[in-house]
Amino acid sequence: MITTDIIILAAGKGTRMQSALPKVLHQLAGQPMLSHVLTAADTVVGGQKIVITGHGSDKVEHAIKDTDSIIVQQQEQLGTAHAVQMAIPYLRSDARVLILYGDVPLISADTIHKMLAAVSDNNIGLLTINLDDPQGYGRVVRNPLGDIEAIIEQKDASPDQLDINEINTGVLALGASQLIEWLPQIDNNNAQGEYYLTDLIALARANGYKINSIQPTSASEVKGVNNRIQLSHTERALQLQLAEELMLSGTTLADPNRFDQRGKLSAGTDNFIDVNCLFEGEVILGSGVYIGPNCHITDSVIGDGVEIKSNTVIESSRVGDHSILGPFARIRPGTELGKNTKVGNYVETKKAIVGDGSKINHLSYIGDAELGDNVNIGAGTIICNYDGVNKHKTLIGDGAFVGSNSTLVAPVAIGQQGFVAAGSTLTQDVSASALAVSRTKQRNIEGWKRPAKKDD
Ligand code: UD1
Ligand code: CA
């Protein structure tokens, strides 16, 4: 196995973000930018990650404490070469070294592997790209034979050099021993008074090395994030990539530009997702799932053939095969719906276990409850699970029918096939197959005269 050390520069302040949060902790697809880079780096077998932190280092360290990264502080930001210098004590002498950036978050595993393959005994790898507008980037200078000779920073470039479209992405790969030998030779004699890592290229040439240039698979991989506008562009590029992966795996998206995934989404085939849906945390969709517009699904498992109508919110729950939810259903944590259930509009459930074929079609609150199979809950039924201090449970047996606008004061139980008359307030258990009626009897007054309007 080849040893690989991956240095990730993340010490910069990110002034243009206008934020108290260090730049690399701003999120893309629900995860800090830096985590995306660490995830890509994790695809290198035998890789060791060294993260250079500076501004807000305590916050950065806290955010990545569960990754197996070595964290090194750069007290003063004196330039990219100085930042890399901080990692020297941790490099393994036989390693290939790859340098990545915490604010260039979409670098792909594929490109990382191409970069590492470009390193050999007399070659170093450099990731470059041609841009129509190279403004702000270091320019890649080639000799008449086409070999890369140097990188010149924008602020140090001559007018001719400014016309070069090939730019330095910053991503670099070379042997640890070369890096250790050349880095101390870099000075800060330049327009910005910084130690430029890019000076390594000219040093490599002077030492007889050749620069292998590699191009990223897609241009969005090397987009840097300096302000919140670029952050939003990078977010959309990532979302489009996630949407395309989902479509290629057999899900139809009404509009890939109006799809958002912040976390892990796994899906079977022949699913349809309408516009403006958001998936967060870990969501698993079966096959043949239909999701209407404006749904928000977090940390949930959705079975095969489920239909989720528009504006439904589902959180930390399970939905059984062929169930129909919404529109406007709110499925709160701990809900477990069986197969073929129906939870309709303006229904809220929480910690509710609902058996197969049961229906809660309209305007209900079902919390801390266990419903058997084929239960029917009438419109407007409310479970009073909370007495102001404690939560209590409600149990409803198979085939029970709860009439509309009933109030079930927990703890309370309804036996199998029990029947609750509409408008009842239950405070006692109902035995199997019994009818419970708890409402004032209707009284009709015949020949009643309506009040007449008084003259004044
Ligand atoms: C750098 C490259 C430039 C390239 C560009 C690509 C140099 C000298 N220039 O320029 O050729 O086109 O990236 O985006 O390398 N950092 C530290 N410590 C420091 C200085 C920087 O950790 O002391 C980190 C920053 O947080 C950032 C990265 O290194 O993540 C790049 O630094 P930055 O100052 O933004 O470099 P650029 O001027 O963009
Ligand atoms: Ca800069």
Side-chain angles (χ1 to χ4, degrees):
M1 193 171 59
I2 310 173
T3 321
T4 308
D5 290 335
I6 304 163
I7 303 173
I8 300 159
L9 303 192
K13 186 167 179 205
T15 311
R16 285 167 285 173
M17 296 300 282
Q18 307 288 356
S19 176
L21 192 67
K23 176 161 78 173
V24 293
L25 296 187
H26 281 261
Q27 296 198 338
L28 283 177
Q31 289 223 10
M33 282 197 264
L34 181 56
S35 304
H36 289 277
V37 181
L38 293 173
T39 303
D42 275 336
T43 65
V44 178
V45 179
Q48 168 183 263
K49 303 184 292 285
I50 305 165
V51 179
I52 312 297
T53 66
H55 282 282
S57 59
D58 47 338
K59 287 181 184 156
V60 177
E61 280 175 36
H62 181 76
I64 63 170
K65 66 179 186 321
D66 294 334
T67 68
D68 53 352
S69 314
I70 297 171
I71 300 168
V72 187
Q73 282 207 28
Q74 182 196 19
Q75 302 291 357
E76 259 189 300
Q77 281 69 59
L78 302 179
T80 45
H82 179 255
V84 171
Q85 184 88 47
M86 303 297 114
I88 296 290
Y90 304 92
L91 296 180
R92 295 168 293 181
S93 58
D94 61 337
R96 298 173 300 190
V97 180
L98 174 70
I99 294 159
L100 300 176
Y101 297 81
D103 59 353
V104 184
L106 298 191
I107 188 88
S108 72
D110 193 41
T111 299
I112 285 179
H113 292 275
K114 279 196 285 182
M115 282 296 291
L116 290 172
V119 182
S120 69
D121 283 345
N122 44 17
N123 282 284
I124 79 172
L126 180 69
L127 190 66
T128 74
I129 189 169
N130 282 298
L131 294 182
D132 291 338
D133 177 14
Q135 189 70 17
Y137 291 98
R139 307 299 204 278
V140 174
V141 178
R142 290 178 183 263
N143 68 19
L145 296 174
D147 297 327
I148 295 177
E149 290 289 342
I151 295 169
I152 306 292
E153 291 305 292
Q154 162 106 15
K155 287 184 177 147
D156 302 282
S158 68
D160 277 357
Q161 288 168 333
L162 287 176
D163 284 340
I164 297 171
N165 291 98
E166 188 181 12
I167 62 102
N168 169 36
T169 64
V171 177
L172 190 67
L174 74 169
S177 46
Q178 285 75 50
L179 184 64
I180 293 164
E181 186 189 330
W182 299 335
L183 214 46
Q185 300 175 36
I186 295 177
D187 62 30
N188 63 354
N189 236 328
N190 52 52
Q192 300 189 82
E194 284 182 17
Y195 294 90
Y196 288 167
L197 184 63
T198 45
D199 287 354
L200 219 58
I201 301 302
L203 277 166
R205 288 300 282 162
N207 283 278
Y209 277 69
K210 197 172 167 319
I211 318 300
N212 261 338
S213 69
I214 300 293
Q215 276 71 46
T217 316
S218 110
S220 58
E221 282 186 52
V222 293
K223 281 207 169 89
V225 174
N226 293 309
N227 59 39
R228 294 181 201 240
I229 296 173
Q230 290 171 337
L231 182 69
S232 76
H233 293 160
T234 309
E235 174 77 29
R236 287 332 304 165
L238 177 55
Q239 288 302 337
L240 192 59
Q241 192 181 311
L242 294 169
E244 286 177 357
E245 280 167 21
L246 192 59
M247 291 189 286
L248 290 175
S249 76
T251 291
T252 296
L253 295 180
D255 182 357
N257 293 310
R258 284 180 288 170
F259 163 84
D260 283 86
Q261 176 184 331
R262 298 181 197 148
K264 194 163 170 252
L265 174 61
S266 41
T269 54
D270 294 313
N271 296 325
F272 176 85
I273 300 175
D274 217 320
V275 298
N276 295 331
C277 290
L278 168 60
F279 298 86
E280 282 192 289
E282 191 158 350
V283 175
I284 300 173
L285 303 179
S287 289
V289 176
Y290 167 91
I291 303 178
N294 308 319
C295 291
H296 182 182
I297 304 180
T298 309
D299 290 319
S300 293
V301 180
I302 312 295
D304 293 336
V306 168
E307 188 178 342
I308 301 170
K309 295 181 183 172
S310 64
N311 301 290
T312 292
V313 177
I314 304 175
E315 193 184 346
S316 303
S317 292
R318 291 178 162 268
V319 178
D321 297 346
H322 304 289
S323 291
I324 302 177
L325 277 62
F328 295 98
R330 178 161 184 225
I331 311 299
R332 290 175 51 204
T335 298
E336 290 187 26
L337 304 177
K339 295 180 181 164
N340 299 301
T341 64
K342 278 188 170 180
V343 178
N345 37 217
Y346 309 108
V347 171
E348 174 179 342
T349 65
K350 186 215 75 176
K351 280 194 189 156
I353 316 270
V354 177
D356 296 347
S358 289
K359 295 178 183 150
I360 314 163
N361 272 332
H362 333 266
L363 302 150
S364 288
Y365 173 64
I366 303 296
D368 299 299
E370 273 182 47
L371 280 61
D373 296 341
N374 301 309
V375 169
N376 195 312
I377 303 286
T381 297
I382 302 293
I383 290 185
C384 312
N385 59 324
Y386 185 52
D387 59 14
V389 185
N390 294 302
K391 302 267 171 71
H392 301 284
K393 254 190 120 160
T394 295
L395 302 172
I396 303 180
D398 293 345
F401 184 101
V402 177
S404 294
N405 206 32
S406 293
T407 309
L408 313 183
V409 182
V412 72
I414 301 170
Q416 290 189 9
Q417 305 294 330
F419 199 104
V420 177
S424 293
T425 296
L426 281 199
T427 50
Q428 293 168 28
D429 291 355
V430 179
S431 45
S433 301
L435 166 68
V437 192
S438 134
R439 63 187 184 216
T440 48
K441 240 190 153 106
Q442 184 170 335
R443 196 161 62 102
N444 290 348
I445 300 171
E446 301 301 334
W448 180 71
K449 295 265 182 307
R450 293 186 188 193
K453 181 132 179 103
K454 284 186 187 147
D455 302 326
D456 47 14

